[in-house]
Structures are given as structure tokens and as C-alpha cells.
Amino acid sequence: MKICPRCQKTYADDNLNFCLEDGTILEHEGQGLPETVQMNQVRMTQPQPTPHSAPGSQSQWGAPQQYSEQPRKSSKAWVWVLLILGAVVLLCGGGLIGFLAYIGSQANNTANLSASNSPTNPGISNSSSTKTSSNSPTTGRDDVTAVDLEIFVKESSPYGTTVLNQGELTMGSKQKGFYYVLVAPEAYQTGGADTRVTLRNIDSAAGNLGYGLIFHSNPKPLQQGYAFLIDTQKRKYRVVNHTPKKESSVISWTTSNAVKTGDAEKTLEVRDLDDKIELFINGTMVNSIRNAVGYPNGVAGLYAGDGVKIAFKDLEIRK
């Protein structure tokens, strides 16, 4: 046990030679300094004289040498601390720079990808399910049969209305929640053909059922066949098939940039290939289906639902 003769603070560590409070040389408890010991003044540290030590006296335990080494030891510690901190800063800084570079590269890649997927028409969001943004190559079918729309005109019908004016057929169901379907005679078959029609929503009216092109249909309407329908208000399309007294979904309502809003003309096209049927809106392929329930040698037709007045023209079959 050691004690500070100045502040009387005791220390259990026998290897400690100086008081941590005032720097006074410690003594063993109960033991005074040797009578014949003298200490020369140490100019490096200039410790203050203690009450029990005469000026110029020196302890026999060599305390001044240990005391003078303390600043150098502390300085080395600070050097190491600074070196470690510098290394940490360099490593962290390099990691941060690398991280920022990675984020920047990813953002650049995302921007490039968005630009490549963006529609050519500015201001239109790219939220459609359109399969391609460009016109698909034609099938090379150039034997064109134009369907005379006059065959669809009905003097009266409990289900819908038809009016032919300057080559444009306007038709619509008489009630909301109902659809009106007209089909062509057996001569206008859609199997192995490209079937196309141009239409417009005259009043830009809203409806839930849609309007569009009938294909692969039984010559008796709504018995067996398909309908390719659009909704220009919501910019969506769907495909349904018909069985007696039932309309079933083949493709549910799907958003597409190919569907233009307003009362401007739109073109629907169905291409019947060997293994699939491709669906086009305004020259852009939006989807395809397999012919699972179509009527053999089925014919073309027209569909209008929810009381919306639709004008049709240029119904053609190419083989």
C-alpha cells in the first residue's frame, strides 16, 4: 500500500510511484524517506517540491525517470489514435464514395431502362400490357374481302339500334348492362385470316362492357365465338367468349397505351395463325390467345354494350 504525503490519498498498486491527483512521489504507508537520500532537481519536468522533500533531493526508487517518461508514452498513444482515426476515415470515405458511385450507376441504369420502355407519345404513362411498342410485321395476306355493313342494318330490334350513314354503321344496345351483337353470314369466315375493323365512340360515353370485333363466331350470334373489346374511357381492352346465354372472360380488362381516348377512330385487328390468335389495337400487338372454343369456320361480327353508340366502318377480312 502506498500513500501520497501531500493529499494523503492511498493506492493499492505498488508499481505506482506518483499521486494521480497532484503528482507527488508516493511513499509506502507507515514508512518515511531514508535519511541519507538526496534528489537532484529534474529540469525536464520540474516537479513541485513536497513538504517532506528538501529542494534538490532525489528518491532512491528512480521515480523522476518514470515520471519524465509519461509524456512521451502519452504522445505515442495520441499518435496511434490519430493514425487509427485516419485509417478509419479513409476506409469509411472510400466505402462511402464506392456506395455513392454504385447508387449513381443504378440510377443511371434505371433511367436508361425507363427511357427504352417509355412510349413514343409523351405524356402517356407506360402502364399497359402491350407486348410491343411498334407495328408487328404483316402476315402477307393480301386477298381482301370487304364486308358490306348494310347486312347488319335491322329495321327494328328489341335489343339494339342500327343506322347506316355514308358507309358508317352506328349501333348500340338499348339498355345499360346489355350488349348488342350482330354477325355476318357464313361467307365471311375469320379462320386463317386477318380480320380488322375501324370504330369510334361517338359521344365518348362511359360503359362497363366495351365495344369491338366479333371473330370465330357461330353464324347465329352469341352461341359460340369470341369478342375483342375496348373501353376508350378507361383505356382498357378485354377478350370474351360466348356460349348460349353466357359471356365468359378470356382476358380480363387490361390497361393498354394502344387504346386512345376520345371519339377518334381506333382500329381493332385479329390475326388467326396456326398456333395462336394475335390481337392488335391501332397496329400494336397487345396480346395473344389460343383458339380453344372458337366455332369452326366462324364468322366476323360487331359488338356494342351498355347503350354506348359506336360507329363502325371498314370491316375487312384478309386471307
Side-chain angles (χ1 to χ4, degrees), residues 182-196:
L182 297 172
V183 297
E186 293 184 4
Y188 299 102
Q189 296 178 7
T190 57
D194 301 341
T195 306
R196 178 167 57 190

Side-chain angles (χ1 to χ4, degrees), residues 51-267:
H52 62 278
S53 300
S57 65
Q58 179 177 349
S59 170
Q60 64 180 352
W61 299 292
Q65 288 78 3
Q66 295 181 9
Y67 183 82
S68 63
E69 288 296 320
Q70 294 302 317
R72 291 196 296 271
K73 184 176 182 180
S74 176
S75 298
K76 290 182 179 179
W78 279 107
V79 170
W80 281 108
V81 169
L82 290 176
L83 289 175
I84 292 172
L85 286 177
V88 170
V89 169
L90 288 175
L91 290 176
C92 292
L96 178 60
I97 292 172
F99 176 73
L100 292 176
Y102 173 77
I103 293 297
S105 66
Q106 293 303 308
N108 189 43
N109 290 340
T110 302
N112 291 337
L113 182 60
S114 299
S116 66
N117 289 336
S118 298
T120 56
N121 189 357
I124 298 177
S125 61
N126 189 28
S127 59
S128 76
S129 62
T130 302
K131 301 302 181 182
T132 175
S133 60
S134 61
N135 293 343
S136 176
T138 63
T139 55
R141 295 164 177 166
D142 54 7
D143 184 6
V144 181
T145 299
V147 179
D148 186 356
L149 296 182
E150 190 172 359
I151 64 176
F152 295 114
V153 176
K154 307 296 180 182
E155 291 184 2
S156 64
S157 170
Y159 308 110
T161 60
T162 53
V163 176
L164 184 63
N165 183 23
Q166 297 181 349
E168 193 174 59
L169 177 72
T170 299
M171 62 179 283
S173 63
K174 288 186 174 181
Q175 299 182 49
K176 281 278 188 181
F178 290 83
Y179 46 87
Y180 188 35
V181 172
L182 297 172
V183 297
E186 293 184 4
Y188 299 102
Q189 296 178 7
T190 57
D194 301 341
T195 306
R196 178 167 57 190
V197 69
T198 299
L199 58 82
R200 62 188 180 94
N201 183 339
I202 296 175
D203 303 316
S204 296
N208 295 321
L209 298 177
Y211 28 87
L213 179 63
I214 297 289
F215 62 99
H216 290 356
S217 173
N218 189 316
K220 185 177 180 180
L222 301 177
Q223 298 300 302
Q224 184 179 354
Y226 293 97
F228 179 26
L229 311 172
I230 62 172
D231 182 343
T232 55
Q233 282 280 327
K234 300 175 183 177
R235 302 190 69 178
K236 294 184 176 182
Y237 71 89
R238 69 174 180 145
V239 177
V240 299
N241 75 279
H242 292 126
T243 54
K245 299 182 180 181
K246 185 178 181 181
E247 181 178 273
S248 303
S249 176
V250 178
I251 298 177
S252 301
W253 281 117
T254 304
T255 301
S256 174
N257 290 333
V259 182
K260 307 302 180 183
T261 58
D263 59 358
E265 292 181 347
K266 288 84 179 170
T267 301

Side-chain angles (χ1 to χ4, degrees), residues 12-68:
D13 185 359
D14 288 337
N15 294 322
L16 189 64
N17 294 319
F18 293 90
C19 177
L20 300 179
E21 295 293 329
D22 52 24
T24 302
I25 299 175
L26 300 178
E27 299 178 353
H28 287 282
E29 190 174 10
Q31 176 180 349
L33 292 173
E35 296 180 355
T36 59
V37 172
Q38 291 185 352
M39 179 182 296
N40 294 327
Q41 183 175 359
V42 181
R43 296 183 182 277
M44 182 179 297
T45 58
Q46 296 183 350
Q48 296 296 325
T50 60
H52 62 278
S53 300
S57 65
Q58 179 177 349
S59 170
Q60 64 180 352
W61 299 292
Q65 288 78 3
Q66 295 181 9
Y67 183 82
S68 63

